[in-house]
């Protein structure tokens, strides 16, 4: 008997969101098994898929950002990204980051989830990348944390290096928060519609939309191929060469399948009347809330740049 | 190699984004002319395919992971312009939906991975593969080499984009405003990882897929090689060398970038430029002084002429001369190999044996 699939309040089936119970990596339960990179990639892919579905759930919930027209949202977020890129003061960037947290809270996003989504991946990685830049070897300047001397000159963490590292991490965090806010609160098809009405050629939008749709189909195909291989292997496959050959063959077979499918999709499109031109539905009219939002963003942008100018780098 | 927002100044992003607009326009026109209505589903699925290839992360020793881009693979299978659109679309999905690569930096990422990589890689592929049969092993190796060179060209561009930031954009007291590393640090770091690991991954994947298709389904290789027979030699336009020449030309023009790099390469200073006090020395070591002036008859000593009055011109001339010198050596080597082969063939024919 299988347990009935529980459907969470937000519409995503619970079993898809549940994390798998893994064996203890220290080896106290069962035998320790190191997954190969193919397996890890597929696990990552499945996580990505569940994230995307989860994002579509958030985008349909009531909230502040969800109520703004996607076109307006794309333009204002782009403007705020440019503002954040021009800011030279870390404190001002900190202020902007607090602003994105407030926006997330008003848009039916749990702040914990939002912070984790932004900080877990890129800014932490960024922090590791910029760490060496704080030393006097890379960024020469006023040494504030001396770490000894090297051939007669003082080495250590420099003020310039520390400020530069802080600036980069803060700017990356603000930029990613803004993009995550935009994509989490806008359904994918409406985001594409917004890009279309902002002047991106129709063909690109059509290709983008179809690519996104078939991405999940191909992902499913790869997972199936991998499961089939595992079902056919008796023992664990330790041979690196055969693993490599499997990845290359999978990619090749996948290309064959994709090509065959693109042929079928094309025939289906022609059968439904596709003659090379694309029609899209007319976008809805803008509402007063959109105007208010634009005004608010403009005030924030002017204030940010003004304060940044006064405080200096 | 996906540059996030915050690493590049908005000015750099604007320049690279503007450079991509004509490329996208040309790609759209070229692809549409070749495959008409069929191209939309083909490109969409090509893009999804690229996205999946980029997901296959291989761990590398420094704690991060490297992945193949697959841009050259798509260029070999569907043509280089189709690859421009496919990789661009994959990058757009990554930037907008999965936060991989910045939105402002989208133009820069597209320039590196969607334009330069397929074009350079495809040129190498055409040059190496020549007009051999579709099923020849040399074709798979050529595709792999194309992937290797293309990925490294993209990585080099990313390193240059990063490395120019602290020189061009810093505050009054020297605090870098964007990416903090100089060219002398970014180029070795990026190139080491890509030459040693990521490039190899790209090589194995590209060559592996092509050789799989040669075994399993040659018809898929014929999409972009319509005029090429399955076996034997078929005539075809030799675009490869032209693109290789363009690539070399671009590198030549970029050569003066070395002048912007602050600091000097370690261990390359002339003896009188050494900071002796830094090494607790009173005089230049005698051996160093003696041998430093051993060879001074070079044409452009220190990549300049006219006593360094025109450093940029000197760099350009040096780059050009270097290419000609290398070309002469390569051509001489090729001529030697050919002559040697002819001698062997003659002697084999005389004995009546088979040349292996």
């Amino acid at each position: 008997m299988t347990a009935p699939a529980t459907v969470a309040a937000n519409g995503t089936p619970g079993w898809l969101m549940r994390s798998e119970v893994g064996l203890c990596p220290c080896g106290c339960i069962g035998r320790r098994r190191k997954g190969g990179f193919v397996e890890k990639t597929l696990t990552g892919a499945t996580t990505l898929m569940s994230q995307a579905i989860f994002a579509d759930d958030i985008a349909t919930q009531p909230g502040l950002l969800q109520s703004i027209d996607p076109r307006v949202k794309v333009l204002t977020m782009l403007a705020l990204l440019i503002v954040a890129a021009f800011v030279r003061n870390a404190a001002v960037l900190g202020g902007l980051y607090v602003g994105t947290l407030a926006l997330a809270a008003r848009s039916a996003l749990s702040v914990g989830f939002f912070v984790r989504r932004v900080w877990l991946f890129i800014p932490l990685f960024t922090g590791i990348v910029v760490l060496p830049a704080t030393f006097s070897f890379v960024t020469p300047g006023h040494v504030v944390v001396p770490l000894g001397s090297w051939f007669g000159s003082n080495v250590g963490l420099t003020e310039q290096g520390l400020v530069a590292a802080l600036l980069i991490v803060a700017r990356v965090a603000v930029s990613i928060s803004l993009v995550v806010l935009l994509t989490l609160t806008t359904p994918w098809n409406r985001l594409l519609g917004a890009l279309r009405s902002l002047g991106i050629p129709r063909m690109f939008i059509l290709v983008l939309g179809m690519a996104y749709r078939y991405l999940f189909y191909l992902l499913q195909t790869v997972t199936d191929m991998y499961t089939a291989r595992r079902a056919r292997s008796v023992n664990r496959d330790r041979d690196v060469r055969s693993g490599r050959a499997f990845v290359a063959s999978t990619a090749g077979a996948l290309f064959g399948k994709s090509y065959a499918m693109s042929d079928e999709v094309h025939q289906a499109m022609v059968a439904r009347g596709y003659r090379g031109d694309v029609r899209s539905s007319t976008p809805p009219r803008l509402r007063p809330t959109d105007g208010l939002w634009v005004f608010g963003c403009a005030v924030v942008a002017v204030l940010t740049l003004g304060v940044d100018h006064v405080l200096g780098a | 190699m996906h540059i996030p927002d915050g690493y590049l100044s908005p000015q750099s992003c604007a320049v690279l984004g503007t450079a991509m607009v004509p490329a996208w326009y040309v790609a759209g026109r070229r692809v549409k002319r070749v495959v008409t209505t069929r191209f939309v589903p083909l490109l969409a699925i090509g893009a999804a395919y690229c996205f999946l290839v980029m997901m296959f992360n291989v761990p590398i020793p420094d704690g991060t992971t490297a992945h193949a881009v697959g841009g050259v693979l798509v260029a070999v299978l569907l043509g280089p312009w189709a690859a421009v659109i496919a990789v661009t679309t994959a990058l757009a999905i990554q930037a907008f939906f999965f936060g991989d690569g910045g939105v402002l930096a989208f133009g820069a990422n597209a320039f590196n991975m969607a334009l330069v990589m397929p074009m350079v890689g495809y040129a190498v592929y055409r040059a190496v593969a020549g007009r051999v049969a579709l099923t020849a092993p040399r074709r798979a190796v050529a595709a792999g080499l194309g992937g290797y060179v293309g990925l490294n060209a993209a990585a080099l561009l990313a390193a240059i984009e990063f490395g120019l930031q602290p020189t061009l954009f810093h505050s009054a007291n020297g605090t870098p405003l964007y990416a903090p590393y100089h060219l002398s640090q970014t180029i070795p770091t990026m190139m080491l990882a890509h030459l040693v690991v990521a490039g190899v991954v790209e090589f194995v994947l590209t060559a592996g897929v092509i050789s799989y298709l040669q075994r399993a389904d040659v018809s898929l290789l014929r999409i972009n090689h319509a005029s090429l027979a399955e076996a034997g030699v078929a005539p075809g336009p030799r675009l490869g060398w032209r693109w290789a020449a363009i690539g070399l030309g671009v590198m030549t023009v970029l050569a003066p970038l070395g002048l912007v790099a602050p600091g000097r390469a370690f261990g390359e200073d002339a003896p009188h430029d050494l900071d002796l006090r830094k090494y607790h020395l009173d005089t230049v070591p005698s051996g160093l002084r003696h041998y430093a002036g051993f060879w001074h008859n070079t044409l452009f000593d220190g990549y300049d002429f006219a006593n360094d009055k025109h450093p940029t011109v000197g760099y350009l001339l040096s780059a050009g001369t270097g290419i000609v010198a290398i070309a002469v050596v390569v051509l001489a080597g090729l001529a030697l190999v050919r002559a040697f082969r002819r001698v062997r063939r003659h002697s084999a024919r005389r004995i009546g044996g088979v040349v292996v």
Side-chain angles (χ1 to χ4, degrees), chain B residues 3-145:
Chain B
I3 304 174
D5 281 332
Y7 273 83
L8 298 184
S9 62
Q11 292 91 331
S12 319
C13 295
V15 168
L16 290 164
T18 317
M20 274 312 286
V21 171
W24 282 324
Y25 179 76
V26 173
R29 294 291 297 261
R30 290 283 288 253
V31 172
K32 209 170 171 181
R33 207 172 58 210
V34 177
V35 274
T36 58
T37 62
R38 212 192 165 296
F39 94 111
V40 170
L42 188 66
L43 285 182
I45 288 166
Y49 181 73
C50 257
F51 184 96
L52 281 184
V53 167
M54 286 198 238
M55 284 196 58
F56 274 88
N57 281 299
V58 177
I60 57 175
D62 72 345
T64 53
T65 57
H67 63 81
V69 177
V72 180
L73 182 61
V74 177
V76 171
L77 293 173
L78 299 178
W81 292 106
V84 171
I85 298 186
V87 182
T88 302
T89 310
L91 287 175
I93 294 178
Q94 286 179 323
F96 272 112
F97 220 79
F98 299 108
D100 194 6
V103 170
L104 275 187
F106 179 65
N109 283 325
F111 184 79
N112 300 342
M113 280 183 278
L115 179 67
V116 172
M117 179 174 176
M119 289 298 166
V120 170
Y122 192 65
V124 171
Y125 163 72
R126 290 295 295 258
V128 177
R131 282 172 290 171
V132 296
L134 267 186
T135 47
R138 178 163 140 198
R139 201 161 276 283
V141 175
L145 273 181

Side-chain angles (χ1 to χ4, degrees), chain B residues 340-353 355:
Chain B
F340 180 67
R341 265 197 204 151
R342 203 171 302 146
V343 170
R344 257 187 32 169
R345 206 172 301 153
H346 274 298
S347 56
R349 206 171 289 154
R350 217 172 297 140
I351 314 164
V355 186

Side-chain angles (χ1 to χ4, degrees), chain B residues 40-272:
Chain B
V40 170
L42 188 66
L43 285 182
I45 288 166
Y49 181 73
C50 257
F51 184 96
L52 281 184
V53 167
M54 286 198 238
M55 284 196 58
F56 274 88
N57 281 299
V58 177
I60 57 175
D62 72 345
T64 53
T65 57
H67 63 81
V69 177
V72 180
L73 182 61
V74 177
V76 171
L77 293 173
L78 299 178
W81 292 106
V84 171
I85 298 186
V87 182
T88 302
T89 310
L91 287 175
I93 294 178
Q94 286 179 323
F96 272 112
F97 220 79
F98 299 108
D100 194 6
V103 170
L104 275 187
F106 179 65
N109 283 325
F111 184 79
N112 300 342
M113 280 183 278
L115 179 67
V116 172
M117 179 174 176
M119 289 298 166
V120 170
Y122 192 65
V124 171
Y125 163 72
R126 290 295 295 258
V128 177
R131 282 172 290 171
V132 296
L134 267 186
T135 47
R138 178 163 140 198
R139 201 161 276 283
V141 175
L145 273 181
Y148 184 83
V149 176
L151 185 78
N152 279 296
L156 179 64
L157 276 175
I160 291 173
E161 286 152 20
F162 279 136
L164 284 178
Q165 301 303 317
T167 315
L168 299 178
F169 306 98
H170 53 81
S171 64
N173 70 347
T175 308
L177 288 174
Y178 301 96
Y181 300 103
H182 289 282
L183 280 175
S184 54
Q185 289 145 350
T186 55
I187 293 181
T189 316
M190 284 289 282
M191 292 324 286
L192 188 71
H194 285 86
L195 284 170
V196 179
V197 184
V200 178
V201 174
E202 187 85 37
F203 180 96
V204 170
L205 181 95
T206 313
V209 169
I210 298 296
S211 86
Y212 171 82
L213 291 179
Q214 285 176 334
R215 277 182 279 127
D217 193 354
V218 187
S219 66
L220 291 177
L221 287 175
R222 224 171 275 131
I223 304 167
N224 188 35
H225 300 83
S227 65
L228 218 54
E230 210 163 296
V233 175
R238 296 198 54 151
L239 283 170
W241 288 109
R242 201 177 72 198
W243 279 105
I246 292 174
L248 268 180
V250 171
M251 301 258 258
T252 314
V253 174
L254 285 178
L257 271 177
L259 291 176
V260 193
R264 311 178 65 110
F266 177 78
E268 288 189 13
D269 284 323
H272 53 84

Side-chain angles (χ1 to χ4, degrees), chain A residues 23-313:
Chain A
L23 293 180
C24 176
C26 61
C28 44
I29 316 168
R31 256 189 24 220
R32 185 182 168 185
R33 209 170 69 93
K34 231 171 111 187
F37 71 87
V38 179
E39 204 174 331
K40 280 187 192 144
T41 299
L42 286 174
T43 321
T46 319
T47 321
L48 206 73
M49 216 149 79
S50 66
Q51 257 182 21
I53 296 170
F54 186 49
D56 258 9
D57 285 343
I58 297 173
T60 49
Q61 279 175 17
L64 171 66
L65 277 174
Q66 283 90 336
S67 65
I68 312 283
D69 187 277
R71 286 165 292 173
V72 176
K73 220 171 359 179
V74 168
L75 278 185
T76 47
M77 286 298 179
L78 206 60
L80 288 179
L81 268 181
I82 295 174
V83 167
F86 274 113
V87 170
R88 293 147 171 255
N89 190 300
V92 178
L93 282 172
L96 274 181
Y97 183 69
V98 173
T100 61
L101 287 185
L103 275 181
R106 290 297 308 274
S107 307
L109 275 163
S110 108
V111 175
F113 165 77
F114 179 68
V115 168
R116 245 180 299 135
R117 172 94 191 239
V118 171
W119 281 96
L120 205 62
F121 301 105
I122 302 126
L124 269 189
F125 178 64
T126 304
I128 297 164
V129 170
V130 297
L131 195 63
T134 55
F135 288 95
S136 52
F137 299 111
V138 177
T139 315
H142 178 56
V143 176
V144 281
V145 186
L147 294 173
S149 67
W150 178 268
F151 286 116
S153 60
N154 284 328
V155 294
L157 307 182
T158 61
E159 188 191 325
Q160 280 88 343
L162 285 172
V163 171
L166 188 67
L167 206 59
I168 284 220
V169 172
R171 195 182 283 117
V172 172
V174 170
S175 306
I176 291 176
S177 299
L178 286 172
V179 176
V180 167
L181 273 182
L182 170 69
T183 49
L184 277 185
T185 59
T186 320
W188 178 242
N189 53 350
R190 296 203 61 197
L191 189 64
L192 284 184
L195 290 176
R196 166 73 200 104
S197 41
L198 291 176
I200 311 272
R202 268 188 196 146
M203 278 304 162
F204 272 97
I205 300 296
L206 189 61
V207 169
L208 203 58
M210 285 178 66
Y212 185 73
R213 165 67 188 82
Y214 287 108
L215 179 64
F216 295 112
Y217 177 80
L218 291 184
L219 206 55
Q220 187 62 51
T221 312
V222 177
T223 319
D224 288 350
M225 281 157 95
Y226 184 67
T227 313
R229 177 187 157 89
R230 276 224 302 205
R232 289 194 301 266
S233 4
V234 178
N235 201 357
R236 250 197 78 214
D237 193 3
R238 284 166 206 278
D239 188 11
V240 180
R241 274 187 71 145
S242 84
R244 218 161 47 202
F246 170 69
V247 170
S249 306
T250 308
L254 187 68
F255 181 75
K257 284 180 190 230
S258 327
Y259 187 68
M261 192 173 68
S262 82
D263 209 32
E264 285 169 13
V265 172
H266 176 239
Q267 285 175 10
M269 283 163 73
V270 171
R272 285 163 177 76
Y274 176 68
R275 295 288 175 271
D277 45 40
V278 191
R279 291 180 200 86
S280 45
S281 54
T282 45
R285 289 169 59 94
L286 297 181
R287 285 175 306 170
T289 37
D290 298 323
L292 270 178
W293 169 252
V294 171
F295 180 73
C297 284
V299 170
V300 168
V302 170
L303 262 179
T304 307
L305 289 178
V307 172
D308 184 57
H309 188 73
V310 172
L311 289 179

